[in-house]
């Protein structure tokens, strides 16, 4: 049975404190409903049940940029860095706030630090995005991933000319 957002939020708070894998089913149901999806994604990322990664991975392609960011972070919290290409793409988002959230999440999940100023000049941001893409291309094989995003990009994300022309190069 579907729970409303307030009930889902209360359940999330209680279940996250006990970190019991039996809490997984209600949050998986929450993924199916737009009103509870965001809360469910956050909860699944904090619950620590790695098998939830397969249910979170499809959200990396969602139309909603904030949901893609949250799913990337949730997967990272589970030890899965499938969302790095999504977070890297979000560094080019029109919103400085979204860019700040993306860079903070990237740095926390990867322990990498490339110069990036969310309010900086576009040319400087593009340089940093290039550094992140290069790092990911060199390191993605070292990480266990729930999904293979090579050659795919989230909805609404443009691929710069020349990107992804070589086999195995990540897009978007």
């Amino acid at each position: 049975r579907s729970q409303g957002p307030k009930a889902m939020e209360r359940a999330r708070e209680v279940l996250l404190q006990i970190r019991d894998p039996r809490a997984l089913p209600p949050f998986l149901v929450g993924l199916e409903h737009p009103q509870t999806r965001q809360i469910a994604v956050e909860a699944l990322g904090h619950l620590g049940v790695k098998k939830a990664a397969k249910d979170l991975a499809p959200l990396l392609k969602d139309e909603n940029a904030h949901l893609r960011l949250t799913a990337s972070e949730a997967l990272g919290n589970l030890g899965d860095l499938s969302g790095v290409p999504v977070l890297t793409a979000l560094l080019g988002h029109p919103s400085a706030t979204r860019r700040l959230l993306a860079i903070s999440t990237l740095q926390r999940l990867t322990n990498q630090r490339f110069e990036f100023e969310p309010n900086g000049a576009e040319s400087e941001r593009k340089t940093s995005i290039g550094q992140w893409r290069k790092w990911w291309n060199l390191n993605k094989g070292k990480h266990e991933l729930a999904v293979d995003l090579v050659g795919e990009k989230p909805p609404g994300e443009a691929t710069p000319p020349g990107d992804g022309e070589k086999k195995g190069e990540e897009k978007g």
Side-chain angles (χ1 to χ4, degrees):
R1 195 183 104 168
S2 170
Q3 300 292 320
K6 288 185 182 194
M8 179 69 75
E9 181 66 31
R10 283 192 302 275
R12 179 180 75 103
E13 294 303 318
V14 170
L15 294 170
L16 291 181
Q17 289 182 10
I18 59 173
R19 296 182 67 95
D20 188 331
R22 291 176 293 180
L24 189 64
F27 292 120
L28 293 176
V29 170
L31 291 176
E32 299 171 12
H33 304 283
Q35 301 88 349
T36 57
R37 188 170 292 138
Q38 187 74 32
I39 296 166
V41 170
E42 291 171 9
L44 289 169
H46 291 290
L47 195 57
V49 179
K50 289 187 183 250
K51 70 180 183 178
K54 68 179 177 51
D55 296 290
L56 292 167
L59 298 175
L60 296 175
K61 299 178 193 174
D62 196 88
E63 292 178 12
N64 181 307
H66 190 67
L67 189 60
R68 289 194 312 270
L69 190 146
T70 305
S72 298
E73 183 172 21
L75 282 164
N77 289 343
L78 297 175
D80 183 315
L81 296 183
S82 297
V84 167
V86 172
L87 294 166
T88 302
L90 288 171
L91 294 177
H93 196 275
S95 164
T97 301
R98 193 78 68 225
R99 293 191 301 264
L100 176 63
L101 290 170
I103 192 64
S104 299
T105 304
L106 271 170
Q107 290 173 343
R108 185 178 62 77
L109 295 177
T110 66
N111 290 315
Q112 298 298 308
R113 301 288 184 268
F114 298 114
E115 189 73 29
F116 185 82
E117 179 56 48
N119 291 312
E122 185 176 355
S123 62
E124 292 171 4
R125 292 194 319 261
K126 284 184 179 182
T127 298
S128 179
I129 291 169
Q131 290 174 318
W132 278 105
R133 286 185 173 143
K134 182 178 180 181
W135 178 85
W136 181 244
N137 284 331
L138 293 171
N139 290 280
K140 64 184 167 191
K142 299 174 186 174
H143 300 281
E144 190 176 317
L145 306 177
V147 293
D148 180 11
L149 290 179
V150 175
E152 297 185 23
K153 59 184 184 277
E157 300 291 341
T159 302
D163 253 14
E165 292 179 356
K166 292 181 219 130
K167 185 176 181 177
E169 188 170 333
E170 156 296 298
K171 289 183 182 179

